[in-house]
Amino acid sequence: MPQHIEELDDTVEFLVHLGDLQWAKVDKCREGAYDAASTIMQKSRIPTFILPGDNDINDCNSMIHGEEMWTKYFALFDKRYDHSLNVTRWGKLNESFSFIHKEVLYLGLNIIGGRGSNP
């Protein structure tokens, strides 16, 4: 992932990461895995939106823990950048978003996947 971020063309206006920033089976939803992925994503020069993947929340032993970690490290990630996109958000964690850019509607939807778990 670091190489991909470094190689992004300067003409790219925004980036959307579709989640699974860690692997629940291997990384065990440890805070360090979220922190490491966040550190890498923060190197992007381009406004970056991040959606949670099933490995980021739903496949953790505790979904509450997964939500806490995702919120701490990735929620509202694009607000770290100075951009003029008029973003609308919704969802329990404000994770889903939409905006219109150059007459195109962009939607980022958190569609629940994975096995899900009890709190």
Side-chain angles (χ1 to χ4, degrees), residues 48-59:
T48 301
F49 295 83
I50 301 177
L51 288 165
D54 59 340
N55 279 277
D56 301 321
I57 296 177
N58 300 355
D59 288 345

Side-chain angles (χ1 to χ4, degrees), residues 3-103:
Q3 182 178 353
H4 294 296
I5 288 174
E6 286 179 27
E7 294 174 352
L8 287 171
D9 188 289
D10 288 337
T11 62
V12 174
E13 296 182 53
F14 61 88
L15 171 68
V16 178
H17 193 291
L18 302 177
D20 283 356
L21 289 153
Q22 57 104 34
W23 190 20
K25 281 186 172 185
V26 173
D27 294 320
K28 306 287 186 202
C29 299
R30 293 175 298 104
E31 184 166 3
Y34 293 89
D35 185 29
S38 177
T39 298
I40 292 168
M41 296 305 297
Q42 288 177 46
K43 293 180 181 177
S44 172
R45 302 174 313 280
I46 298 156
T48 301
F49 295 83
I50 301 177
L51 288 165
D54 59 340
N55 279 277
D56 301 321
I57 296 177
N58 300 355
D59 288 345
C60 294
N61 288 334
S62 165
M63 285 180 67
I64 291 172
H65 172 75
E67 287 177 351
E68 288 171 353
M69 292 295 99
W70 191 87
T71 299
K72 180 176 180 178
Y73 290 100
F74 304 112
L76 308 176
F77 201 85
D78 67 287
K79 290 194 172 209
R80 298 168 187 246
Y81 303 87
D82 183 25
H83 66 76
S84 60
L85 300 169
N86 186 15
V87 180
T88 301
R89 300 181 191 281
W90 67 94
K92 180 180 177 184
L93 308 173
N94 281 322
E95 72 279 17
S96 294
F97 60 86
S98 65
F99 57 87
I100 296 174
H101 182 61
K102 296 183 179 178
E103 299 183 18

